[in-house]
């Protein structure tokens, strides 16, 4: 399960980061980009910890 968690967390991070990036470009807001990056990193970390345990 630990080996499976690595690609899944990378895919989740790419999806979240990409959607936040597109949203920040569409809204022309750097605050959305900063908050989205922090939120995506935290959520990927929590998902990885949940998936392994």
């Amino acid at each position: 399960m630990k080996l499976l968690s690595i690609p899944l967390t990378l895919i989740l991070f790419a999806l979240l980061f990409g959607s936040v990036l597109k949203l920040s470009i569409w809204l022309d807001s750097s605050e959305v980009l900063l908050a989205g990056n922090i939120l995506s990193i935290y959520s990927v970390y929590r998902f990885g910890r949940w998936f392994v345990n």
Side-chain angles (χ1 to χ4, degrees):
M1 290 305 264
K2 289 182 182 182
L3 289 176
L4 185 61
S5 71
I6 294 169
L8 286 177
T9 54
L10 290 176
I11 290 169
L12 180 65
F13 178 72
L15 288 173
L16 288 174
F17 184 75
S19 62
V20 165
L21 184 62
K22 287 183 181 185
L23 182 66
S24 69
I25 291 172
W26 185 64
L27 293 175
D28 195 28
S29 174
S30 62
E31 292 86 14
V32 172
L33 182 64
L34 179 63
N37 287 340
I38 292 170
L39 185 65
S40 65
I41 290 170
Y42 178 72
S43 62
V44 166
Y45 170 75
R46 294 298 301 165
F47 174 76
R49 298 294 298 165
W50 171 80
F51 193 79
V52 171
N53 290 332

